[in-house]
Amino acid sequence: MAKCLLNHVATHENLNCPVSATASLVENLCKDSHTLSEFFDMFFRVYLEQNMFEEAFHVLDHMKKNNLEPDTRSITIAVDKLFKNGKLEKARFMVVGGSKGIKPNIFTYNALINGFIKMGKFEEVHEILELIDNEGLSKNVTTYTLLINKFITEGNTEEAEKVFAEMLERKIEPDIHVYTSMISGNCRSGNMKRAFALFDELSEKRINPNVHTYAALVNGLCRVGQTDAVKILLKEMQCNGIYLNQVVFNTIMDGHCKKGAVHEASKLFDVMEKNGIKADVFSYNIIACGLCKLNRISEAKAILLSMVGKDTLPNCVSFTILIDIHCKEGNIAEAMRVLRDMEKKGVQPNVVTYNALIDGYCKNGKMKEACEIKDVMEKKRIVPDVYTYTSLMHGNFMVGNVDNGLKLFQEMVARSLSPNLVTYTMMISNLSKEGRSDEAFRLYDEMKIVGLVPDDALYTTLVGSLHNEVPRNS
């Protein structure tokens, strides 16, 4: 009841007032320090839940000045909320900046460690670990899990093993999450002997493996080509009532494809089908996307076409990949046929689908058709994005229509679409080639102001434009 009332006070525009005014009113009504601590702690949490950080810290400052201690759980919640809103340095200062009345515990420090790991700030992680030791706090299973996951993600299994050994030495029992991370790391590094030794420890400690544990082992066995062992493992899983499903296989395959290891993903695809797990549309799309990224477009096309024969219906992503492949092959007519087939089957194209067609037309110098596609998508209330405009601008530059390209750039900015690195690089390069160095340098300065980093080649192009500058009529 009290929390609901405070929430209303914090968020209602007619009731909202400065923290100092609320504090003064409450303190006139109550003098008990314990009750006041609980009230302001609750008020602090209410502001945090509403992402009203400035007001939350006004409450915290008031508590410090009046020797009122916030609950440690509230500080931990604050760290987590600040991290999720990109304010981790504020969280760090609050906890380790010597703030009066703040007494962080291991859960608070874990929240900071988690945030810093996700942001790649490993020096700060070591700083927090030193603070934990200096304050005589004991790392718990969450602390070790975060550190092990960090090293496994980096591919540093050796360091992960050291952390794991320290954990055991300090009599902290690893849970299934720790074991799964360690098994996964050893599988990735090809040390299947160690991975299965860790797996055997699970039964000794009466810890039940989960679907992710088995998925890591299946992935590792596929990497080293031990498909017979995979069959045995899958049977064991089924006996234990655990089934590797499409979602797990798709997740692993997607991870491989994002790293360019399509051959590893393909092995899993084969294992999945051989063991009676039917590949779904997402499975086919993952492999096709991975092949396209490696420019193996004929193989990508073949796998997409093969799914139709296996009674798997293509979705928007499948059709879009096919359209993009045909456009890259220069076969725009076939791409348009796929678009019509897509719509006929009740699958609605999205902005990515139309972008593929626009890019295809632009690269073939067919600007009229490209603009018509943009008109079609807008009539369907599909909003063009930065990629739409970048393709159209590049197409106009290719056919020598520089002014039209600049108009499109202005239209894009007017629509509150921020040019990306590709957009700026394309614009500056083309303006430089046309000898329009003033406009090129203006965009160069603009991209640096917004935090985009141009490469040396772009600067060389810009300097070269000074020698080709087109004289302007005064």
Side-chain angles (χ1 to χ4, degrees):
M1 179 69 181
K3 191 175 180 182
C4 289
L5 184 61
L6 281 175
N7 195 56
H8 196 60
V9 169
T11 57
H12 197 287
E13 59 181 44
N14 293 328
L15 295 175
N16 194 7
C17 60
V19 170
S20 57
T22 307
S24 178
L25 177 66
V26 171
E27 285 164 350
N28 284 334
L29 296 170
C30 176
K31 303 296 180 185
D32 180 66
S33 60
H34 178 71
T35 305
L36 288 171
S37 287
E38 287 190 342
F39 171 82
F40 285 112
D41 184 74
M42 189 185 292
F43 209 15
F44 177 58
R45 285 201 201 192
V46 164
Y47 278 129
L48 286 173
E49 286 168 9
Q50 297 298 327
N51 291 337
M52 298 170 73
F53 299 115
E54 188 177 339
E55 292 83 353
F57 279 98
H58 283 321
V59 174
L60 195 60
D61 289 339
H62 181 83
M63 293 180 78
K64 288 180 206 170
K65 286 174 187 172
N66 291 275
N67 295 317
L68 301 172
E69 287 189 10
D71 192 296
T72 307
R73 287 171 297 178
S74 300
I75 299 302
T76 305
I77 291 166
V79 170
D80 187 56
K81 290 287 285 184
L82 287 164
F83 163 67
K84 286 174 180 173
N85 285 271
K87 301 177 185 292
L88 195 58
E89 282 305 318
K90 182 79 173 172
R92 177 183 172 277
F93 181 76
M94 179 180 69
V95 176
V96 304
S99 297
K100 184 181 175 184
I102 303 288
K103 292 181 180 177
N105 60 16
I106 191 61
F107 301 103
T108 315
Y109 283 128
N110 284 343
L112 271 178
I113 289 169
N114 184 40
F116 283 129
I117 286 174
K118 285 181 178 176
M119 291 179 73
K121 295 192 172 186
F122 303 128
E123 284 183 20
E124 285 84 349
V125 171
H126 292 299
E127 179 191 347
I128 301 301
L129 291 171
E130 284 178 12
L131 274 172
I132 291 170
D133 291 335
N134 293 340
E135 292 182 17
L137 294 171
S138 298
K139 300 184 189 83
N140 62 13
V141 67
T142 303
T143 321
Y144 285 107
T145 303
L146 290 168
L147 295 172
I148 286 169
N149 284 342
K150 168 191 176 292
F151 289 122
I152 293 298
T153 303
E154 291 171 354
N156 194 345
T157 313
E158 189 178 336
E159 284 301 316
E161 289 281 6
K162 287 179 185 176
V163 175
F164 185 71
E166 181 189 314
M167 185 179 186
L168 295 175
E169 191 179 316
R170 295 196 177 187
K171 309 294 183 189
I172 295 171
E173 283 299 317
D175 59 15
I176 188 58
H177 304 293
V178 173
Y179 269 107
T180 300
S181 288
M182 291 300 300
I183 289 167
S184 177
N186 280 285
C187 286
R188 287 181 204 170
S189 63
N191 191 348
M192 295 307 297
K193 184 178 178 181
R194 173 62 177 155
F196 274 101
L198 287 162
F199 184 72
D200 290 341
E201 285 182 24
L202 293 175
S203 58
E204 292 168 17
K205 295 186 177 184
R206 295 184 179 181
I207 299 172
N208 294 322
N210 61 28
V211 67
H212 302 290
T213 319
Y214 281 110
L217 287 168
V218 168
N219 190 24
L221 290 169
C222 287
R223 278 170 174 257
V224 295
Q226 294 184 22
T227 51
D228 288 340
V230 170
K231 289 177 184 177
I232 295 167
L233 194 63
L234 289 173
K235 282 181 183 176
E236 182 187 317
M237 285 176 62
Q238 288 170 2
C239 290
N240 292 331
I242 298 171
Y243 297 88
L244 272 186
N245 54 30
Q246 293 166 331
V247 176
V248 177
F249 271 107
N250 288 347
T251 303
I252 303 170
M253 289 191 295
D254 191 44
H256 283 310
C257 287
K258 281 176 179 171
K259 292 175 185 174
V262 181
H263 59 291
E264 299 289 355
S266 297
K267 284 181 190 176
L268 279 167
F269 188 92
D270 293 338
V271 165
M272 181 169 66
E273 294 220 299
K274 283 175 184 174
N275 285 276
I277 301 169
K278 188 176 182 292
D280 61 10
V281 65
F282 302 104
S283 315
Y284 287 99
N285 289 345
I286 287 164
I287 300 292
C289 277
L291 289 165
C292 285
K293 284 175 185 174
L294 297 176
N295 206 30
R296 291 160 59 180
I297 56 176
S298 58
E299 293 171 73
K301 186 162 58 173
I303 198 161
L304 286 173
L305 295 173
S306 72
M307 75 173 169
V308 180
K310 294 182 180 179
D311 297 325
T312 303
L313 296 174
N315 62 10
C316 181
V317 175
S318 320
F319 281 115
T320 299
I321 297 168
L322 264 178
I323 287 168
D324 191 46
I325 288 170
H326 290 308
C327 288
K328 282 182 168 65
E329 291 175 334
N331 193 347
I332 309 294
E334 184 60 20
M336 287 300 294
R337 187 200 66 76
V338 173
L339 178 71
R340 289 191 294 272
D341 185 42
M342 174 183 187
E343 292 175 320
K344 187 179 176 183
K345 289 177 178 174
V347 181
Q348 291 304 311
N350 60 18
V351 65
V352 183
T353 317
Y354 286 118
N355 283 350
L357 283 164
I358 287 169
D359 190 57
Y361 276 125
C362 288
K363 283 176 179 171
N364 282 275
K366 296 183 177 181
M367 296 311 301
K368 182 187 172 190
E369 290 86 346
C371 290
E372 285 172 356
I373 294 291
K374 177 175 173 279
D375 291 340
V376 167
M377 65 188 285
E378 289 188 298
K379 281 175 187 173
K380 292 187 175 185
R381 295 186 179 180
I382 297 172
V383 181
D385 60 14
V386 65
Y387 301 101
T388 318
Y389 280 101
T390 301
S391 291
L392 287 167
M393 287 183 278
H394 185 53
N396 274 287
F397 279 118
M398 281 176 66
V399 297
N401 199 338
V402 180
D403 290 333
N404 217 22
L406 286 167
K407 281 178 188 173
L408 282 162
F409 184 83
Q410 289 158 6
E411 182 186 316
M412 179 182 72
V413 173
R415 284 187 159 192
S416 300
L417 292 170
S418 300
N420 59 22
L421 184 61
V422 175
T423 314
Y424 275 116
T425 302
M426 179 275 298
M427 289 291 293
I428 292 165
S429 297
N430 282 293
L431 286 169
S432 297
K433 286 173 190 174
E434 294 292 326
R436 297 172 72 156
S437 59
D438 288 348
E439 291 155 295
F441 270 102
R442 180 181 61 76
L443 288 175
Y444 182 80
D445 291 337
E446 188 181 296
M447 76 182 289
K448 288 199 293 182
I449 289 168
V450 298
L452 296 171
V453 182
D455 59 19
D456 293 337
L458 186 62
Y459 188 75
T460 304
T461 303
L462 261 177
V463 173
S465 74
L466 295 172
H467 302 290
N468 305 318
E469 191 164 4
V470 176
R472 300 298 171 94
N473 295 327
S474 14

